[in-house]
Amino acid sequence: MKAIETENLRKSYRTRVKAEGLKASFRALVKPEWREIEAVRGVSLEVEQGEIVAFIGPNGAGKSTFIKMLCGILHPTSGEISVLGLSPIKERRRLSMRIGTVFGQKSQLWLHLPAVDSFTLLAAIYEIDDKEKKRRVSELSELFELGDFLQTPVRKLSLGQRIRCEVAASLLHEPELLFLDEPTIGLDVVVKQTIRELILRQNRERGTTVFLTSHDPADIEHLCNRAVVIDHGDIVLDSPVEKLKCEYLGKKLIDVSFSTPQALPELDGVSSKAEAGGLKATLTVDTGIRPIGEVMERLSLLGAVTDITISNPPMEDIIAAIFQREARRTP
């Protein structure tokens, strides 16, 4: 049984055409005009149980619409869909007992209640008895290190603390499939890494399938074994992350500051842009040509470095590179 299986899945919306001008607006009241928007265009996708899959694309690509159909929130216009062997359309209640969701911008916790009270309410929704609830809350509290703030109202938690509670809440009923929509958005580097480690541990120890959307390349690089890229409702690329690393994630950005103006060394595979009269610079490193450690070593030899950070290019740049390369490959 596949965790997710779709065939030629489509979703269209009708939206009203906005009229321009007073007369046109009046006519639109009597006889409105409509246009059809195809958010998802014939997507066929299979996800094996135990996989961690990144589902990425620009804003408006159809990611959220696709996930909502998988969860049963939206019904497809046409096509076939199966999640954990169930139909999200006909068996949404049964499916909801076997999946978990975390949406970075929307909370499933009650903001004015402590997280532990939300866990109690969710346990009742998922028909978990008191003994089992106590065991699972204790286990998740230890795993996610929630003990210090379980009794604190959610509205008073930091973003990182709330997201940890959100992920724990989504795992309370031990789902087989976890949907994560931007779970690390707005978090600092340390908290992001903590969330990633917790997700990986859940996958290794429980075999939980994870379906992830993110605009952070590090989420994909550290968590996922497969990446699916969608644009305008179509799948553009379906590739192992290792291949994606070689072809698209092989660049790093180095931001460096100096105490005195510096002339940057010229190296193959490295492009640089100086700022503030040579006191700051951004280097783009193609790690397939030049190892990042070698570039760092050359910078340190300048002897005037006051600050240095390494990061991934923005996801938008990576997705643009994917589109450009795939367009070149298409005859």
Side-chain angles (χ1 to χ4, degrees), residues 27 35 41 243 270 273:
R27 285 196 301 270
R35 66 187 177 97
R41 304 178 180 181
K243 182 179 179 183
V270 181
K273 179 182 178 183

Side-chain angles (χ1 to χ4, degrees), residues 23-82:
K23 289 184 178 180
S25 298
F26 180 75
R27 285 196 301 270
L29 289 174
V30 180
K31 190 177 180 181
E33 292 184 30
W34 301 84
R35 66 187 177 97
E36 191 169 282
I37 296 176
E38 200 167 17
V40 176
R41 304 178 180 181
V43 170
S44 296
L45 179 68
E46 292 185 357
V47 176
E48 300 289 342
Q49 293 192 46
E51 276 195 283
I52 304 182
V53 177
F55 192 63
I56 58 178
N59 292 330
K63 302 187 300 294
S64 295
T65 299
F66 187 74
I67 290 176
K68 287 175 182 177
M69 288 192 287
L70 295 179
C71 295
I73 297 170
L74 293 176
H75 288 190
T77 304
S78 63
E80 301 294 327
I81 180 171
S82 173

